[in-house]
């Protein structure tokens, strides 16, 4: 008899208060100089996510590091010769870097910088989910813990999720998906796959409101609407471009529009302004009917990163990402499947068609 299991109904995650680091010019200059010296002494490189502060993004690029999405952060760290990786982002990003770089020391400015999607999918509950449907292939979003990745068959990012799911669907597989229900529903629509969805969501992207977005777009009719697929279906339906962080940045750089309405974390605006300095960027609305905004358009966990905390970690130690080897090794398998798929698809060895 199949074990009884019910997917949690939209787990309630309480986001912390949004507190962004505020620095004066003199302190910023002093902190950056101190951090650069300590990084050199400790053979360290900084990788920062697009959603972190402009200060951290600038510092990463000034010191030969990387500003990117979570997967590219880990891959960059793997290719870089530095013995220490400093990951400015949220905890699952640090874990992904450690999974792919077990021989390196991986540090984070704040280990309390979590993710609502990760928190909404505890490893024991996810294991029970998989056990209840042993005939299905499990696919998890990168925004999950190392333990969840270790239990999954595949790990995907938002940029490659639809391609991998479409490939698995064409092979005849039925799927389990976790944890983001909005991204999962989007992938299900575009792939046609049979998917049972976990019910997690991102506190930032779920806050975007379709009716308010329609009103803003009416006020800026020539603006292109860019939406991350972690957003609700009603918001995605209004998009000119739906894509990952990297894909949305590329859209701002390449599309001819002068204005863009952006439905993702506003930390991405720093890189968008850098690649397209003449473009006007507008935040998609989080207010309106049904609004329950906890973080609005910026992740409160991402905001826990800052220059002060980074300097303190380098000076005093601590905040190192450690993963039990049995978990790390299993998680590496599900991540490697995605990496191998990406290489094969790029080389034309996997044909997805329309």
């Amino acid at each position: 008899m199949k074990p009884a299991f019910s997917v949690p109904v939209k787990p309630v995650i309480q986001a912390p208060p949004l507190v962004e680091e505020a620095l004066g010019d003199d302190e910023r200059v002093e902190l950056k100089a101190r951090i650069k010296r300590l990084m050199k002494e400790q053979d360290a490189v900084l990788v920062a996510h697009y959603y972190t502060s402009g200060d951290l993004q600038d510092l990463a690029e000034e010191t030969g590091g990387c500003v990117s999405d979570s997967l590219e952060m880990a891959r960059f760290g793997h290719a870089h010769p530095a013995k220490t990786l400093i990951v400015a982002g949220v905890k699952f990003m640090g874990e992904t870097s450690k999974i792919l770089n077990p021989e390196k020391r991986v540090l984070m400015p704040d280990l309390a910088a979590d993710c609502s999607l990760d928190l909404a999918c505890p490893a024991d509950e996810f294991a029970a989910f998989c056990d209840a449907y042993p005939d299905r292939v499990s696919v998890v979003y990168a925004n999950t813990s190392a333990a969840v990745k270790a239990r999954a068959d595949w790990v995907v990012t938002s940029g490659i999720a639809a391609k991998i799911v479409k490939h698995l669907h064409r092979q005849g597989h039925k799927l389990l998906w976790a944890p983001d229900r909005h991204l999962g529903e989007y992938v299900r629509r575009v792939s046609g796959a049979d998917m049972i969805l976990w019910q997690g969501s991102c506190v930032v992207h779920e806050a975007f409101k379709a009716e308010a977005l329609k009103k803003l777009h009416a006020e800026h009719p020539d603006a292109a609407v860019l939406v991350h697929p972690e957003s609700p279906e009603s918001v995605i339906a209004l998009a000119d471009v739906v894509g990952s962080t990297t894909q949305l940045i590329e859209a701002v750089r390449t599309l001819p529009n002068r204005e863009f309405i952006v439905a993702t974390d506003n930390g991405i605006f720093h890189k968008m302004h850098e690649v397209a300095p003449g473009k006007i960027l507008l935040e998609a609305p989080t207010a309106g009917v049904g609004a329950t905004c906890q973080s609005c358009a910026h992740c409160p966990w991402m905001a826990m990163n800052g220059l002060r905390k980074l300097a303190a970690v380098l000076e005093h130690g601590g905040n190192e990402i450690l993963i039990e080897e049995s978990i790390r090794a299993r998680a590496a398998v599900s991540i490697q499947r995605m990496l191998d798929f990406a290489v094969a698809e790029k080389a034309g060895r996997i044909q997805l068609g329309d």
Side-chain angles (χ1 to χ4, degrees):
M1 180 181 296
K2 186 171 70 174
F5 184 88
S6 60
V7 178
V9 179
K10 193 180 174 183
V12 177
I13 303 299
Q14 183 61 49
L18 175 60
V19 180
E20 298 187 79
E21 182 177 68
L23 301 173
D25 291 341
D26 291 343
E27 184 181 10
R28 179 178 292 105
V29 170
E30 188 276 327
L31 281 170
K32 280 191 171 184
R34 195 186 339 156
I35 291 168
K36 289 177 181 179
R37 173 179 56 80
L38 291 165
M39 287 176 60
K40 186 174 182 179
E41 291 173 357
Q42 298 181 36
D43 190 16
V45 66
L46 173 62
V47 292
H49 194 270
Y50 292 126
Y51 294 162
T52 56
S53 70
D55 285 337
L56 286 168
Q57 293 186 49
D58 290 344
L59 180 62
E61 294 186 331
E62 290 167 10
T63 54
C66 170
V67 180
S68 190
D69 56 38
S70 59
L71 181 61
E72 184 56 33
M73 289 162 65
R75 288 197 292 206
F76 179 91
H78 183 68
H80 198 281
K83 295 180 180 178
T84 295
L85 304 180
I86 306 165
V87 178
V90 291
K91 192 174 181 180
F92 80 81
M93 297 175 183
E95 288 186 339
T96 302
S97 288
K98 185 64 176 179
I99 289 165
L100 295 180
N101 303 281
E103 76 288 355
K104 298 188 179 186
R105 181 176 68 147
V106 178
L107 306 177
M108 296 193 70
D110 194 332
L111 289 182
D114 227 310
C115 169
S116 57
L117 288 169
D118 187 351
L119 292 171
C121 190
D124 57 345
E125 294 182 20
F126 177 71
F129 184 43
C130 295
D131 291 343
Y133 301 98
D135 58 325
R136 289 178 177 260
V137 173
S138 57
V139 180
V140 300
Y141 191 27
N143 299 40
T144 47
S145 68
V148 168
K149 290 179 173 74
R151 186 63 175 81
D153 296 308
W154 287 78
V155 172
V156 299
T157 63
S158 57
I160 203 170
K163 291 180 179 180
I164 287 176
V165 168
K166 183 180 290 187
H167 174 68
L168 294 172
H169 173 52
R170 289 184 174 181
Q171 290 184 325
H173 294 295
K174 296 180 179 181
L175 308 179
L176 298 180
W177 170 276
D180 189 285
R181 64 195 181 101
H182 296 304
L183 178 57
E185 184 57 45
Y186 171 75
V187 169
R188 179 161 59 185
R189 288 198 305 274
V190 300
S191 69
D194 181 334
M195 299 167 64
I196 299 176
L197 307 182
W198 197 266
Q199 293 296 299
S201 62
C202 169
V203 296
V204 175
H205 292 94
E206 190 163 59
F208 294 121
K209 296 292 177 285
E211 291 306 315
L213 177 55
K214 289 179 184 177
K215 181 178 178 181
L216 180 62
H217 198 207
E219 296 169 357
H220 300 269
D222 295 327
V225 178
L226 311 181
V227 178
H228 193 283
E230 289 178 28
S231 304
E233 181 180 356
S234 58
V235 174
I236 291 175
L238 301 175
D240 295 298
V241 176
V242 180
S244 66
T245 50
T246 299
Q247 291 163 341
L248 298 186
I249 291 167
E250 184 65 7
V252 168
R253 189 184 72 82
T254 58
L255 290 179
N257 306 67
R258 182 169 176 264
E259 293 185 320
F260 294 84
I261 300 172
V262 183
T264 193
D265 190 294
N266 62 26
I268 204 171
F269 283 22
H270 186 75
K271 176 58 68 174
M272 287 179 167
H273 282 304
E274 181 182 307
V275 301
K279 304 291 179 74
I280 297 172
L281 307 177
L282 306 170
E283 288 187 22
T286 56
V289 177
T292 57
C293 179
Q294 299 180 69
S295 61
C296 296
H298 190 42
C299 173
W301 289 286
M302 284 286 185
M304 291 180 178
N305 294 272
L307 295 181
R308 292 186 188 123
K309 290 180 179 179
L310 175 50
V313 165
L314 289 170
E315 287 175 332
H316 307 299
N319 288 7
E320 182 174 358
I321 294 289
L322 300 171
I323 303 173
E324 181 183 329
E325 177 56 22
S326 62
I327 293 175
R328 188 210 66 78
R330 295 200 309 273
V333 172
S334 59
I335 295 175
Q336 192 61 47
R337 284 195 179 109
M338 172 180 62
L339 299 178
D340 292 344
F341 177 92
V343 171
E345 195 263 336
K346 187 175 182 180
R349 297 197 298 272
I350 296 176
Q351 300 297 326
L352 297 176
D354 295 331

